[in-house]
Amino acid sequence: MENLIFLAHVVLLMVLSPIISRLFRIPTPVVEILLGSFAVWIGLLHVDNDVFRSLAKIGFFYLMFLAGLEIDIQRFLHYRDRFLKKAILYFICLYSISIILYIVFGLSPVYIVAIPIVSLGMIMALINQHGRSHKWLELSLIIGVIGELISIGALVIFDGAITHGLGWYFFKSILILIAVLFSSYFLYRLLKIIFWWYPNLKRIIMPNNDTMHQSLRFSMALFFVLIATMQWLEIDMVLGAFIAGIFISNFFAHKKELPHQLSMFGFGFLVPLFFIFVGTTLDLNLVFTTHILTHALWIVIAMVGARMASSFAAYYSYLGLRSTILFSLGDSMPLTFLVAIATIAVKNGAIGNEEYASFIVAALMEGIVIMTLIQFLMFIFNRFDKKNEEKL
């Protein structure tokens, strides 16, 4: 009964968030994070509810599943020659800057992984709100996919190294990750051959006249099976959700309404649970501590500055000034992965409690301030363009 009352409070916040979002023209994920923080502060919610924590984790996995649904491998291969070299340059610049900052300021090794970390979560929230018609958002998705894979690899390596040291368990985790990626590639090639020989098999799995909602059931089954597989292999479960989305979008393209149905369910229920939960991890009393705020601000400046420099080095010639700035900001919100790195680091004594709090506040500042700044800049740029059109 207590869990049901708790979830009723959470659902109330979910209902209020789009209303507040429209009223104040603030992105919905930002409102959900703020409502979560405020609800804890006034005592409406508490942070130690295991059911809510588990549902929020599923919400995050589902967000990564939706990110996988956005990946068209054929289109990605089409863009490969145009973007691959620049993507390599972008990530070399990003990691080089983080290493330089680590050496110059004598930081913890945690910062080498934390500063260049990339997550598709907030990028997906932007795409859900604005679509992919903007060139910088299309590029954000492509770079986000590459960055997500690099970040998952970095998280596995970081977790293994800091938890178990550079011993056998660490190298086993790396080998399993490589094996999973290669297995996914070969399975993709094999399924392409099977579906080429037996094209009707796709319609048996996901029929066109789907009165029994078989497509949704199969999608959910694949989602949970691959997450469970990654958990059994003891690597990041995000990878399983991401791969599930890629497989569905690339093998069942005939179900054109399916991504929309899955997205409506995700952004209507599971994903808001995740964003509200992230808000509950922030102690509003802690935010007003000068030391924590200052440290968090420096982390944000380092992450945004590194991305701004890397973006101008790699993509200014392709995007131009405005879109390069928006792309840099859009890539500067690795909210969930930054929280994950901070959690792993503090658990193993790599950083102290105050530094951990700074990372959490920095992650939320990026999710709230940068998301709002992107909205504001897009509004200003669109207004400026309309005025120029009227003059012409």
Side-chain angles (χ1 to χ4, degrees):
M1 183 63 73
E2 185 184 343
N3 285 331
L4 287 175
I5 294 170
F6 183 91
L7 290 174
H9 291 155
V10 174
V11 171
L12 177 63
L13 298 181
M14 287 169 56
V15 172
L16 287 174
S17 59
I19 298 170
I20 296 170
S21 176
R22 281 194 298 270
L23 192 62
F24 294 99
R25 295 184 180 181
I26 300 172
T28 308
V30 172
V31 175
E32 287 160 353
I33 292 170
L34 289 172
L35 283 177
S37 302
F38 183 70
V40 171
W41 189 59
I42 63 172
L44 184 66
L45 298 178
H46 52 87
V47 295
D48 56 350
N49 188 286
D50 292 332
V51 174
F52 182 38
R53 185 180 288 107
S54 298
L55 285 172
K57 191 179 287 186
I58 293 171
F60 173 55
F61 293 152
Y62 199 87
L63 189 63
M64 294 301 102
F65 172 68
L66 293 176
L69 281 175
E70 293 289 333
I71 306 306
D72 183 339
I73 290 177
Q74 294 303 319
R75 182 187 290 182
F76 187 78
L77 293 173
H78 173 71
Y79 285 142
R80 179 180 59 188
D81 294 334
R82 194 195 307 178
F83 290 126
L84 187 58
K85 288 180 182 177
K86 290 189 175 183
I88 292 169
L89 173 62
Y90 177 75
F91 285 108
I92 287 173
C93 289
L94 204 51
Y95 277 88
S96 298
I97 290 169
S98 67
I99 292 168
I100 290 167
L101 291 173
Y102 158 70
I103 294 168
V104 171
F105 294 101
L107 302 172
S108 163
V110 174
Y111 289 85
I112 298 175
V113 182
I115 289 173
I117 204 81
V118 175
S119 175
L120 275 169
M122 298 301 278
I123 294 171
M124 284 306 302
L126 281 169
I127 289 171
N128 179 60
Q129 192 161 6
H130 299 288
R132 297 198 306 190
S133 57
H134 298 281
K135 193 192 290 187
W136 67 272
L137 264 177
E138 178 80 15
L139 182 62
S140 292
L141 183 62
I142 295 165
I143 297 303
V145 172
I146 300 169
E148 183 96 12
L149 291 172
I150 293 171
S151 298
I152 289 169
L155 269 178
V156 171
I157 293 167
F158 178 68
D159 190 15
I162 203 167
T163 306
H164 306 285
L166 300 176
W168 161 242
Y169 189 91
F170 169 72
F171 290 108
K172 188 180 81 170
S173 298
I174 303 301
L175 288 172
I176 290 172
L177 177 65
I178 293 168
V180 166
L181 293 175
F182 273 103
S183 299
S184 300
Y185 172 75
F186 286 118
L187 182 60
Y188 171 78
R189 302 297 297 180
L190 177 64
L191 287 173
K192 277 198 78 172
I193 295 167
I194 291 171
F195 287 136
W196 184 77
W197 277 104
Y198 304 103
N200 287 332
L201 187 59
K202 290 183 181 181
R203 285 163 179 80
I204 293 171
I205 298 170
M206 291 192 182
N208 287 323
N209 186 21
D210 193 4
T211 56
M212 310 291 264
H213 306 293
Q214 187 174 318
S215 304
L216 286 170
R217 296 182 188 203
F218 179 82
S219 301
M220 291 297 96
L222 186 63
F223 170 68
F224 282 107
V225 165
L226 286 182
I227 286 174
T229 303
M230 297 305 152
Q231 186 180 32
W232 179 68
L233 292 170
E234 297 182 351
I235 62 174
D236 201 318
M237 289 180 281
V238 167
L239 187 60
F242 190 61
I243 291 171
I246 291 174
F247 271 60
I248 287 170
S249 66
N250 285 274
F251 288 119
F252 302 100
H254 68 286
K255 296 291 292 182
K256 296 190 183 300
E257 77 285 355
L258 182 60
H260 179 64
Q261 291 172 347
L262 293 168
S263 181
M264 280 183 66
F265 173 64
F267 283 107
F269 179 62
L270 286 175
V271 176
L273 286 174
F274 162 68
F275 284 119
I276 291 169
F277 175 77
V278 169
T280 64
T281 64
L282 176 65
D283 182 355
L284 288 181
N285 294 319
L286 197 63
V287 171
F288 299 108
T289 306
T290 307
H291 175 68
I292 300 296
L293 264 180
T294 305
H295 194 174
L297 188 60
W298 279 116
I299 292 171
V300 172
I301 290 169
M303 294 181 74
V304 174
R307 281 158 177 76
M308 199 72 74
S310 302
S311 299
F312 273 93
Y315 294 114
Y316 176 70
S317 60
Y318 172 68
L319 291 174
L321 179 63
R322 291 183 191 176
S323 293
T324 303
I325 292 169
L326 289 170
F327 170 77
S328 305
L329 293 172
D331 199 35
S332 299
M333 299 181 289
L335 193 149
T336 49
F337 278 7
L338 194 59
V339 171
I341 287 171
T343 304
I344 293 166
V346 74
K347 193 190 299 180
N348 294 280
I351 57 174
N353 288 328
E354 285 193 356
E355 204 164 5
Y356 167 76
S358 298
F359 271 112
I360 301 300
V361 173
L364 291 166
M365 283 171 68
E366 288 171 349
I368 295 167
V369 177
I370 293 177
M371 182 70 99
T372 307
L373 180 59
I374 288 171
Q375 297 288 105
F376 176 73
L377 288 174
M378 288 183 74
F379 173 75
I380 294 295
F381 291 156
N382 287 336
R383 193 171 180 181
F384 183 76
D385 289 338
K386 283 179 182 177
K387 281 187 177 180
N388 284 341
E389 285 174 9
E390 287 172 4
K391 286 180 182 178
L392 293 172

